[in-house]
Amino acid sequence: MLVKIPNTDPMKVDGLRQHLAGGTLLVVLMLLRLVVRVRTAHPARASTGSPVLDRVAWLSHRMLYVLVFCQAASGLTLALQAGLPDVLFDGHGALPADFWVFPMRPVHYVISRLLMALIALHVVAALYHTFILRDGLLRRMWFGRRYSRIEVDRRRPDRD
Ligand code: HEM
């Protein structure tokens, strides 16, 4: 939506302000999430039963943090390159004719697409656990028992 608004439209400044606030909020939430993840007890790692898929899951979970932080960092750098703080907060100056003249614009675009692909993979993986493996993985996001059926089976090898 933001990209479709021309930079000459006064609405664009509002859109960019909200985009900046949303992006910053996301980083704060992601940092909080990271602290909680590192400092609190959490269930044993779930398994698909395939070492390759488990490795992909391990890597993609870490990449979600990395890409969100890189997305926000590239957005903030782009904002500085384009002199946005003056326009957004002081009402001075004007938006550039096109953000693509700044080196960080393609970086922000590429990271956004990588992030979208990773989020799609994450959703597909959750559906795979839920409907193919039927291991109740999503229940770990709720209260109560925080492990998937595959972990239970591993803890009790006598069970099938
Ligand atoms: C995690 C946080 C962020 C996400 C997920 C995000 C996402 C996006 C996406 C998807 C686009 C459109 C890319 C395209 O299709 O070409 C975009 C554009 C943009 N973002 Fe962000 N962004 C974030 C943080 C920021 C921050 C903090 C700023 C600082 C102001 C910022 C500034 C911009 C600018 C200037 C554009 C270009 C708009 C245009 O070309 O008209 N972004 N962002």
Side-chain angles (χ1 to χ4, degrees):
M1 283 168 66
L2 186 65
V3 173
K4 287 190 183 136
I5 306 174
N7 287 8
T8 47
D9 189 329
M11 290 283 292
K12 183 84 174 206
V13 173
D14 281 339
L16 280 166
R17 241 185 242 123
Q18 287 166 18
H19 190 74
L20 175 84
T24 309
L25 179 66
L26 259 176
V27 171
V28 171
L29 290 174
M30 208 61 176
L31 277 172
L32 277 175
R33 155 90 189 134
L34 192 57
V35 170
V36 169
R37 177 68 175 76
V38 170
R39 307 206 63 166
T40 60
H42 47 82
R45 202 178 297 152
S47 173
T48 56
S50 153
V52 175
L53 289 182
D54 289 351
R55 192 78 194 146
V56 172
W58 181 90
L59 189 65
S60 64
H61 292 157
R62 273 142 195 84
M63 285 309 292
L64 278 170
Y65 288 100
V66 171
L67 288 182
V68 169
F69 291 132
C70 287
Q71 181 71 2
S74 64
L76 288 171
T77 312
L78 173 61
L80 293 177
Q81 286 176 343
L84 285 191
D86 283 350
V87 185
L88 300 190
F89 304 117
D90 286 345
H92 291 147
L95 293 179
D98 189 354
F99 283 106
W100 286 91
V101 298
F102 301 102
M104 214 30 95
R105 182 64 180 88
V107 176
H108 201 57
Y109 169 81
V110 170
I111 300 174
S112 78
R113 294 313 184 266
L114 290 175
L115 199 49
M116 286 176 196
L118 200 58
I119 291 168
L121 177 70
H122 194 59
V123 172
V124 168
L127 294 174
Y128 176 68
H129 275 277
T130 305
F131 296 110
I132 310 282
L133 298 180
R134 293 171 187 268
D135 60 5
L137 183 86
L138 289 184
R139 280 204 291 271
R140 288 156 57 114
M141 294 176 72
W142 197 238
F143 302 98
R145 296 188 324 173
R146 299 191 64 201
Y147 42 81
S148 76
R149 190 173 60 76
I150 288 179
E151 287 161 37
V152 180
D153 293 345
R154 274 192 179 165
R155 286 180 202 176
R156 301 176 187 168
D158 50 312
R159 293 198 164 187
D160 43 69

